[in-house]
Every structure is written in C-alpha cells, then in structure tokens.
C-alpha cells in the first residue's frame, strides 16, 4: 500500500489494536501519482484514446476499460435485511473479572481493552432509505478479542416477531415492499405485513414494541440494545448459566414523535447516520454499559414463560440486569464501503466461555449468516476483508476460493500430516481450545413446537401495561396509522381480534379510529401458522396472565434525564438581536455539552444590538424544527420584528411545540410567542416550577433562563401537551 506514512488520524479519535491492524490496509492518495490497478502511472485521465481528435474510441484504451469495468462492478448486493446501516469503531472494557461465570478472556480481565466495531441499522428499508422509518433497529457489535471475534448481533428490542427461524423468510417477505409494485419502501404499514402478523399471534409481543416509540429512536446513541436470545456463559470448570445480554445507553433511551419522524425523513433522511458521525467527530463519544441477566440451570423452568422462546423477555424485576462493562465508540470509519458495508456479522461467532442454547430462532440464525455473506461478499474468504479479520492469529487448512488474500506457504493443507509435524495444531481446552457445552440431548427427531411457547399474549399485555399514558397513546396512534394504511378490511378486523387479547382498551381505541367493531375470533382460529396435519386446538394460544402487572424497565418514561450533552438547540435570531440574551444562554448550553445553532432568515452573518457580528449556522430554508431538540428566542426588538414577519420562524416554533420540545424566550420575544397557535397555553406563572411543568419559559434573566432551560431540555419531551391534540401549521 502506498503512502502509509501519510495516513492521517483525526486528533480526537482513538486508536486501538484493531485500528493498528487496519492501518496496513489504509490508502491515502495525498501527494501520490495516479496509476492503473497494475501500477502504471496515468498521464491523461481526462480523454479516452481515439482515432483522431474527433474519432471513435479505441478498444485498445486499457486505462478507459479498466476504469469503466471497475465502476460497472462497484455495487455489491445489499443485505436482504438491515441494508441501511451506520457504524463506528470503539473499545469495550469489563469492570470486574467475570471468571466465576465465563472463561471468555475479554470478560475476565478488567485491564483489557477490546476493540469493537458496531453497526446500527434499520431492518426493512433499502440502503438508500430513510433512517427514521418506524422499524426495529439492528445493534450488532463485533468484539475483536484475543481469542477470536465475538459477534453480539442484536436489536434495540429484546424480543422477536417469530419463534422459529423457518418463518424468517415469510416475515421478511411480508414486511418488504410488495412484490408487484415494490411499495411501500421502508414501512410496515401495508397489507402483506399485517396479513402475516394477524395470523401469527406469536408476534403480538414484538408488535407492541414495534408500534411503540422504541421504533423511533432520537439517536442510535440513545437506544438500548439486546442480544434477544438466551445464551450460555460457561466458566473454566465447565459450569454453565443462562445469560441474556443488554446494552444500556448512558444518555438514556429517547424517541421522537411519529409526526416528527415523518418530517425528518424528508428534511434529513440521514438523521441518525449524521448524528452518530457528528457526535464522534466532536469527541462526544457514545457509551453503553453491557448488562447481563444470569439464570442458573436449576432455575430454567421457574418462570411462567420459556426462556428459550425469543418472543419473551425476562423482566428485570425477576432477574436484575448486572452492568459488567462499558463500550465507548470513539472513531468513525475511514471508508463506508470498506468497513460499514463489508463488515460481516455472524451470531455463530462466539469465543470460549460463550455458547448457544436451543432457542429455535437462534439455531436457524447459526446457518443464515455465513450463507448470506457467501453471495454478498463474493465467496468464502470474507473473513479476510480487513474489517472482518480477527486480531487473534488465524491458521487452518481452508484454502483458495475467490479473492483469497492469504498466501499460504508449504505443502500441507490437511491434517493429520507428518510433513509439517501436524501444524496447525489443535488446542486443548485448558489452553483455550473451544469446546461446545456438553448439553444432554435425548429426544425424538420431530418437527414441532413446545407447548411452553404458546403463551402469546401475556408479555404483550405486560409491555402495554408498563407504558406511561403518552406511550400508550402513541401505540394506539401507531396501530391506527398502520392498520389505516391497510386496504383489506378483513386484515384490519383480524388484527383487532389479536389486539383485544392484549388489552381491551387498546383494541377499542384502535377499532374506533378504524371505524370498525372488534370481531369475536376464538383463540384456536387466531393462529394460522399450523402444519397441514396440525391440530388447531393444540396450536391455539394459551392465554395466561403475566405474574407481573408492570415492569418499570419496559417504559421509557423514567429513563435518564440528567444531561443535555449533544442535544441540538436552535436559537432563532435576526439583525438587531440582543447580544447579551443570546450569548449568555448560548455559552451556558455549550458549556453543558449541547450543540447550538443560530438560525436566521438568511445565511451569512447577523449584527447584534451592540453591533457585534455573529455567524449564522442555518437559514430557515436549510434548517427545520424537527432537526432540533429545543428552541430559544433571544430578545432585541428589531430582531423580533423580523421574526414576526417570517412565517417560517413562527412555523418553526409551532412545530417545536407540537412535538413537545422545550421552548424558551426572552421576555422581549413575547410577541413572537403570541403569534404562535399555543399563545393561549403560555403558563401564567413565570416561575421555574411552571416552566418545568409546561416546557415553556419566558424570562428576562439570562442566568435563570440558562439554568431552567437546561433542565427542560434534559427532560426531553413534554408529552402532556398532546392531550388537547390540537394540530398546528
Ligand atoms: Fe438477522 C442481519 C439481528 C433474526 C438472517 N440480523 C442482521 C443484522 C442484525 C440482525 C443486527 C445486521 C448485521 C449488520 O449490521 O451487518 N436477526 C437479528 C436479530 C434476530 C435476527 C436480533 C432475532 C433475534 N436474522 C434472524 C433470522 C435470520 C436472520 C431468524 C434467518 C434465519 N440477519 C439474517 C441475514 C443477515 C441478517 C440474512 C442479513 C445481512 C447479514 O445477515 O449479514 O443473514
């Protein structure tokens, strides 16, 4: 690779062992000559070789042919699911030695820093689709441990739609754009998805999550992650425990409103990608704690659900989440294609000390992930692509195939061999060789599902019951929207019969929005996912109640709300703005870690009352309220008059109010607030308590404005504003 020395590492971004390994593949053209792929220097990259200045292009032009051929093949098939993604490098450190539970070396040494590469994604949309689709988010972490790669390929929701991998192609065909007209893109709001779901009651719990605000994250940095399946930890003595993996974001779990999500999709379809990139560039490195829920083998059957069923979670009230380590994302990729696109995750990439269970969804995934890379990345050597390469040495007798990079020396590619003294050697368990957990199996070969998987509704109800009032309303709205987009009335009706099993009030509200009544469909008729000779009664959902009424961890209402770090705040200003009321609040928000933009009618600069010039970050044309977390309007009567004359400014504030965001204004800006649709709702009391309750603050004092406004922004949203359900602009 040329120019290794010229490689620039961004100052605030961090290096680790994986970065150093990748650096042998970096290529940086600064100061370099342009060449063909066989290294010949190019003299003219502007003109093809022709028979005369105005003549035909000659086939002899190897430079043109090479360039066009490469271009023609620049695309690889996008992932069938999770095509749209964004990724970052980082590190993971365990807090304490976990060797009581697992022999995985990276979890036993608090001094060890394990490089990671994390890819977040949506599921249904194509590579070019919007980030803000209502969808599950992928949360895939590749740990480059000293014992090989461990991939934790999870989602931002702890359960899944189906119980058996054999139904995965059906689920994905149902949610993807319909095959006759390829519509709609990146949306589940269409007939085929709900046709499938309404006949698969096992999806009820996951549907509640997908219709909740979890499907509309404010940021990838503000999402939880889950390994979903129950895995196994195995320690050096061979003792196993069941384990569920969690990622807990240190910025809390926050979402946007559905109306806002739809707007963001137009204003900035790269919203989540940009947010992750910008935060890391700014040195505001996103962090998550790794959590584990541990269940001993003796306790396998003590719950009122089956821990092998991927449509069930283990409520944190029953088994608390222990936080065992921290992941920090601290470096953006250098090249999207080489890293984010070519990274290949595999749920079967485990290291000694981590093992599988018989969850039938997990078992099917173990086949799918290698298989998909074979075609997507063009053959069996995708593990040699730099981003996929283990930092632990790789030696085996696998050879050849498309795009082989390794130049294996010697004569032997088999074992046993005497010629090379049996190299590469197998490794004993004591020295780190992987040994599968010795699970006892004594069973008949059978295509069937365990009766313990047929409780389809108890945790769907538990999830719904655990939500705050605004969260419940959002689920009602989401279902009303999605089913409203379904054209076939019998699908809508069947879905109502499913919803009534979860919660009567929920079903009634959605039915009212759809103008339908709830049909009475017996439980045995609800499940149409049965074999040809299946007994309908045997496949009917059992309908027990969850032993828990509520689980606090399932609601986002009480998430961490103590920081405004990386929150984006819009300051609406114009010429004649009062410098003191602008700068004091701006400086204080920036000091708290917020990102503050001055938005004015025109780009360029504005002049304050004190004739100070200030750079404008965005104009009302390029910015939009939905791209910000909060709005502040400083004083200055000239500026206020300009804003009053600027319909986009009033619209900006109205929209921020509609989306329940914190709004603060200097008292001189009162006329602007009076021009909004919520003028009548401005709190009569001007004290902090009233401001914090309403998310609206008007004050003449910059210091107290900064303090109260900061608290308001940290609260994220004031959902109580949704009650009157008035829709502005
Ligand atoms: Fe999967 C990709 C997560 C079930 C088959 N899956 C993929 C990715 C994530 C998940 C995060 C994107 C990885 C990346 O960023 O490259 N998948 C899940 C979770 C599941 C799940 C949490 C259930 C608990 N998946 C699942 C099943 C199958 C697959 C049941 C097939 C039987 N998944 C795939 C795949 C993908 C994939 C087709 C597409 C691209 C890829 O693997 O590399 O193999």
């Amino acid at each position: 690779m040329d120019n290794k020395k010229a490689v620039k590492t961004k100052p605030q971004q961090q290096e680790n062992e994986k970065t150093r390994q990748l650096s042998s593949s970096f290529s940086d053209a600064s100061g370099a000559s342009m060449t063909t792929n066989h290294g010949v220097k190019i003299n003219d990259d502007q003109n093809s070789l022709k028979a005369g200045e105005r003549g035909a292009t000659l086939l002899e032009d190897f430079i043109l042919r090479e360039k066009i051929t490469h271009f023609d093949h620049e695309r690889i098939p996008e992932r069938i699911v999770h095509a749209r993604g964004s990724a970052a490098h980082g590190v993971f450190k365990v807090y304490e030695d976990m060797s009581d539970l697992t022999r995985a070396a990276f979890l036993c040494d608090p001094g060890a820093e394990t490089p990671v590469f994390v890819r977040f994604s949506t599921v249904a949309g194509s590579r070019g689709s919007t980030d803000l689709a209502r969808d599950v988010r992928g949360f895939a972490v590749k740990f480059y441990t000293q014992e090989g790669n461990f991939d934790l390929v999870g989602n931002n929701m702890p359960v899944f739609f189906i119980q058996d991998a054999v139904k995965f192609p059906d689920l994905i065909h149902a949610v993807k754009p319909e095959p006759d007209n390829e519509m709609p893109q990146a949306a589940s709001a269409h007939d085929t998805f709900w046709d499938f779901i309404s006949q698969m009651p096992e999806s009820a719990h996951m549907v509640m999550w997908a219709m909740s605000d979890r499907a509309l994250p404010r940021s990838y940095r503000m999402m939880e992650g889950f390994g979903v399946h129950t895995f196994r930890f195995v320690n050096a003595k061979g003792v196993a425990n069941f384990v569920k993996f969690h990622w807990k974001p240190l910025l809390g779990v926050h979402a946007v409103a559905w109306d806002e999500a739809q707007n963001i999709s137009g204003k900035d379809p790269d919203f989540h990608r940009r947010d992750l990139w910008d935060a890391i560039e700014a040195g505001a490195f996103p962090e998550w704690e790794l959590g584990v829920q541990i269940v001993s083998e003796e306790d396998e059957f003590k719950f009122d659900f089956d821990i092998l069923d991927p449509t069930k979670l283990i409520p944190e009230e029953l088994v608390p989440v222990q936080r065992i380590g921290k992941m920090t994302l601290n470096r953006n990729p250098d090249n999207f294609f080489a890293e984010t696109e070519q990274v290949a995750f595999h749920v079967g990439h485990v290291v000694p000390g981590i093992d599988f269970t018989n969850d039938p969804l997990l078992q099917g995934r173990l086949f799918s992930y290698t298989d998909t890379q074979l075609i997507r990345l063009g053959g069996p050597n995708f593990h040699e692509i730099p981003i996929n390469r283990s930092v632990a040495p790789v030696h085996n007798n696998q050879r050849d195939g498309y795009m082989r990079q390794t130049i294996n020396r010697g004569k032997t590619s088999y074992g046993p061999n005497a010629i090379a003294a049996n190299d590469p050697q197998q490794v004993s368990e004591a020295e780190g060789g992987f040994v599968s957990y010795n699970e006892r199996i004594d069973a008949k070969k059978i295509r069937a599902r365990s009766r313990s998987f047929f409780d389809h509704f108890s945790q769907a109800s538990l999830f719904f019951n655990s939500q705050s009032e605004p969260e419940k309303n959002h689920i009602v709205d989401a279902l009303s929207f999605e089913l409203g987009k379904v054209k076939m009335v019998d699908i809508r009706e069947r879905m109502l019969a499913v919803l009534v099993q979860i919660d009567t009030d929920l079903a009634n509200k959605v039915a009212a929005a759809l103008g339908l009544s709830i049909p009475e469909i017996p439980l045995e008729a609800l499940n149409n996912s049965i074999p040809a000779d299946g007994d309908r009664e045997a496949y009917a959902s059992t309908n027990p109640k969850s032993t828990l009424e509520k689980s606090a961890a399932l609601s986002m209402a009480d998430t961490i709300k103590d920081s405004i770090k990386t929150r984006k705040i819009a300051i609406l200003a114009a010429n004649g703005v009062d410098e003191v009321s602008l700068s004091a609040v701006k400086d204080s928000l920036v000091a708290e870690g917020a990102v503050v933009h001055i938005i004015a009618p025109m780009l360029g600069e504005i002049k304050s009352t004190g004739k100070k010039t200030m750079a404008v970050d965005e104009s009302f044309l390029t910015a939009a309220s939905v791209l910000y977390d909060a709005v502040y309007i400083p004083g200055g009567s000239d500026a206020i008059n300009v804003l009053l004359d600027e319909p986009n400014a009033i619209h900006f504030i109205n929209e921020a109010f509609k989306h329940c965001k914190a709004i603060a204004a200097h008292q001189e800006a009162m006329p602007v607030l009076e021009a909004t649709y919520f003028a009548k709702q401005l709190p009569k009391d001007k004290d902090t308590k009233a401001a914090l309750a309403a998310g609206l603050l008007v004050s003449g004092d910059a210091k107290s404005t900064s303090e109260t406004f900061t608290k308001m922004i940290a609260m994220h949203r004031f959902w109580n504003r949704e009650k009157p359900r008035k829709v502005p602009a």
Side-chain angles (χ1 to χ4, degrees):
M1 298 284 150
D2 52 347
N3 267 314
K4 266 189 223 161
K5 280 195 205 120
V7 171
K8 282 178 246 149
T9 34
K10 294 160 199 134
Q12 76 277 26
Q13 303 207 7
Q14 317 273 306
E15 281 224 335
N16 58 47
E17 189 179 356
K18 181 65 188 173
T19 322
R20 284 189 284 280
Q21 186 199 48
L22 286 174
S23 69
S24 66
S25 308
F26 287 165
S27 169
D28 185 322
S30 36
S33 306
M34 180 183 276
T35 70
T36 65
N37 284 337
H38 63 289
V40 168
K41 292 197 175 100
I42 295 176
N43 167 261
D44 182 350
D45 186 44
Q46 319 305 322
N47 299 294
S48 50
L49 187 69
K50 302 182 196 75
E53 277 167 16
R54 301 178 62 246
T57 301
L58 300 179
L59 192 57
E60 179 195 318
D61 188 349
F62 63 91
I63 296 176
L64 172 80
R65 275 188 287 118
E66 182 191 86
K67 186 172 176 182
I68 300 291
T69 307
H70 196 278
F71 168 77
D72 289 345
H73 297 266
E74 271 177 12
R75 289 291 170 271
I76 61 172
E78 66 173 32
R79 290 165 172 82
I80 167 71
V81 283
H82 299 266
R84 167 108 188 142
S86 306
H89 291 273
V91 289
F92 172 79
K93 266 181 124 167
V94 73
Y95 292 143
E96 283 173 20
D97 175 4
M98 302 299 295
S99 54
D100 275 359
L101 287 168
T102 173
R103 61 189 278 234
F106 80 107
L107 295 177
C108 296
D109 178 4
E113 205 175 63
T114 304
V116 296
F117 189 67
V118 181
R119 184 172 179 273
F120 303 106
S121 47
T122 52
V123 179
S126 296
R127 259 192 76 180
S129 59
T130 173
D131 282 343
L132 262 291
R134 172 178 293 285
D135 201 351
V136 183
R137 298 299 185 285
F139 193 133
V141 181
K142 192 179 279 295
F143 296 82
Y144 302 95
T145 88
Q146 295 298 324
E147 297 179 304
N149 290 350
F150 167 49
D151 293 355
L152 187 51
V153 197
N155 281 336
N156 74 330
M157 298 176 190
V159 289
F160 204 64
F161 292 101
I162 49 169
Q163 295 171 325
D164 190 313
V166 74
K167 298 309 293 172
F168 192 65
D170 299 277
L171 166 72
I172 300 306
H173 288 172
V175 72
K176 281 273 183 179
E178 297 186 6
D180 47 356
N181 55 21
E182 224 193 21
M183 293 192 279
Q185 177 57 250
S188 53
H190 58 113
D191 288 51
T192 55
F193 179 69
W194 290 101
D195 181 25
F196 176 77
I197 290 295
S198 63
Q199 306 192 61
M200 296 280 293
E202 69 199 57
S203 67
H205 186 194
M206 180 64 163
V207 163
M208 285 294 101
W209 282 81
M211 293 301 118
S212 80
D213 293 348
R214 301 272 181 156
L216 310 170
R218 159 62 182 82
S219 157
Y220 288 141
R221 302 173 295 119
M222 299 170 198
M223 293 188 322
E224 287 184 306
F226 303 90
V228 180
H229 311 284
T230 300
F231 288 84
R232 271 196 175 90
F233 266 163
V234 187
N235 70 15
K237 293 184 190 131
V239 177
N241 280 279
F242 295 105
V243 56
K244 288 261 191 203
F245 293 108
H246 295 244
W247 290 111
K248 301 275 188 188
L250 295 194
L251 290 175
V253 195
H254 302 285
V256 301
W258 174 231
D259 180 72
E260 192 183 355
Q262 293 176 86
N263 271 296
I264 295 173
S265 292
K267 301 281 183 189
D268 185 6
D270 305 307
F271 185 75
H272 284 150
R273 175 174 293 181
R274 195 183 308 286
D275 167 275
L276 179 67
W277 180 275
D278 286 352
I280 294 174
E281 287 296 303
F285 300 143
E287 294 173 316
W288 287 261
E289 286 185 310
L290 178 65
V292 291
Q293 283 176 300
I294 304 292
V295 176
S296 67
E297 295 214 313
E298 300 82 77
D299 286 346
E300 178 174 358
F301 300 107
K302 89 165 188 192
F303 303 98
D304 57 3
F305 52 86
D306 193 327
I307 61 168
L308 298 188
D309 173 358
T311 68
K312 303 295 180 301
L313 50 83
I314 305 183
E316 293 188 26
E317 286 73 11
L318 303 186
V319 181
V321 175
Q322 304 172 38
R323 296 173 183 232
I324 66 164
K326 191 161 84 177
M327 175 169 79
T328 308
L329 298 185
N330 55 24
R331 193 170 77 78
N332 277 319
D334 288 280
N335 184 284
F336 187 92
F337 181 82
E339 302 179 82
T340 309
E341 194 58 17
Q342 293 201 114
V343 67
F345 291 92
H346 187 356
V347 75
H349 286 168
V350 290
V351 290
I354 300 175
D355 214 324
F356 313 114
T357 60
N358 295 332
D359 170 345
L361 192 69
L362 171 59
Q363 295 282 318
R365 290 179 77 193
L366 291 175
F367 166 72
S368 183
Y369 287 74
T370 306
D371 184 46
T372 207
Q373 313 307 348
L374 289 175
I375 191 98
R376 190 173 78 81
L377 298 172
N381 289 317
F382 56 87
H383 62 282
E384 294 188 330
I385 296 172
I387 193 66
N388 295 326
R389 235 182 262 156
S390 143
V391 297
V394 172
H395 297 288
N396 55 45
N397 289 321
Q398 294 168 33
R399 291 291 185 275
D400 309 346
Y402 286 108
M403 299 294 164
R404 184 69 171 180
Q405 311 287 305
T406 309
I407 304 173
N408 295 102
R409 291 173 145 177
K411 286 184 189 302
T412 58
S413 52
Y414 56 88
N417 69 64
I419 297 176
N422 268 332
D423 283 347
Q425 305 278 341
Q426 302 169 94
V427 181
S428 71
E429 187 177 3
E431 283 173 29
F434 185 90
V435 177
S436 288
Y437 177 64
N438 234 319
E439 187 182 358
R440 190 187 153 76
I441 297 179
D442 177 14
K444 278 196 227 149
K445 196 193 292 179
I446 187 169
R447 279 187 196 278
R449 208 166 292 195
S450 165
R451 277 307 289 163
S452 57
F453 278 40
F454 281 79
D455 158 19
H456 297 141
F457 299 113
S458 70
Q459 288 206 349
S461 306
L462 172 67
F463 178 78
F464 188 70
N465 290 339
S466 304
Q467 305 301 300
S468 63
E469 260 332 282
E471 287 172 309
K472 283 186 176 171
N473 290 336
H474 294 169
I475 294 174
V476 170
D477 288 352
L479 283 161
S480 307
F481 174 90
E482 295 262 322
L483 294 171
K485 290 280 184 183
V486 167
K487 297 283 174 275
M488 294 170 72
V489 176
D490 55 332
I491 297 177
R492 293 182 186 164
E493 284 177 332
R494 212 166 44 222
M495 201 53 221
L496 289 173
V498 173
L499 295 179
V500 80
Q501 300 296 332
I502 300 171
D503 188 89
T504 316
D505 189 42
L506 164 73
N508 281 335
K509 284 180 172 156
V510 177
L514 298 176
L516 293 172
S517 40
I518 304 168
E520 271 183 38
I521 303 182
L523 281 176
E524 63 273 17
L526 271 187
N527 190 352
N528 284 326
S529 174
I530 55 174
D533 296 320
D535 171 356
R536 225 164 228 292
E537 297 281 331
Y539 269 77
S541 310
T542 53
N543 210 2
K545 286 258 166 294
S546 164
T547 42
L548 269 181
E549 184 61 24
K550 283 183 180 186
S551 169
L554 303 182
S555 163
M556 293 159 57
D558 297 319
T559 187
I560 305 164
K561 292 176 181 163
D562 61 356
S563 155
I564 65 163
K565 268 191 202 137
T566 73
R567 292 312 187 120
K568 285 183 74 182
I569 321 300
I571 296 190
L572 309 192
N575 280 326
V577 68
D578 169 43
E579 188 192 322
V580 178
S581 65
L582 189 155
S583 299
V585 173
K586 183 178 175 200
D587 294 350
S588 144
L589 296 176
V590 170
E592 293 290 330
V595 177
V596 182
H597 285 171
I598 295 182
I599 299 169
M602 302 287 176
L603 287 172
E605 289 174 336
I606 50 171
K607 274 205 167 63
S608 72
T609 38
K611 302 284 179 246
K612 186 176 165 195
T613 48
M614 298 179 197
V616 173
D617 297 291
E618 301 281 351
S619 73
F620 286 111
L621 196 62
T622 62
S625 171
V626 290
L627 306 179
Y628 292 87
D629 291 293
V631 190
Y632 173 60
I633 312 128
S637 54
D638 285 355
I640 297 306
N641 285 335
V642 176
L643 294 181
L644 275 172
D645 243 13
E646 175 57 79
N648 284 331
I650 307 302
H651 178 76
F652 197 109
I653 307 165
N654 273 336
E655 219 173 32
F657 186 84
K658 179 186 180 186
H659 298 142
C660 306
K661 297 174 182 174
I663 300 173
H666 188 269
Q667 62 195 19
E668 285 174 10
M670 199 58 189
V672 175
L673 293 186
E674 276 162 358
T676 64
Y677 87 104
F678 58 89
K680 289 204 183 91
Q681 293 176 55
L682 291 170
K684 303 255 173 322
D685 295 329
K686 293 249 156 64
D687 59 15
T688 309
K689 208 169 139 213
L692 286 175
L696 284 168
L697 169 71
V698 184
S699 163
D701 174 50
K703 188 162 179 291
S704 74
T705 299
S706 301
E707 278 169 20
T708 312
F709 192 34
T710 301
K711 284 191 193 137
M712 285 159 56
I713 301 165
M715 289 167 77
H716 185 61
R717 291 303 165 87
F718 298 84
W719 296 120
N720 53 348
R721 278 189 211 150
E722 288 183 320
K723 269 195 190 141
R725 302 233 159 195
K726 285 188 184 166
V727 179

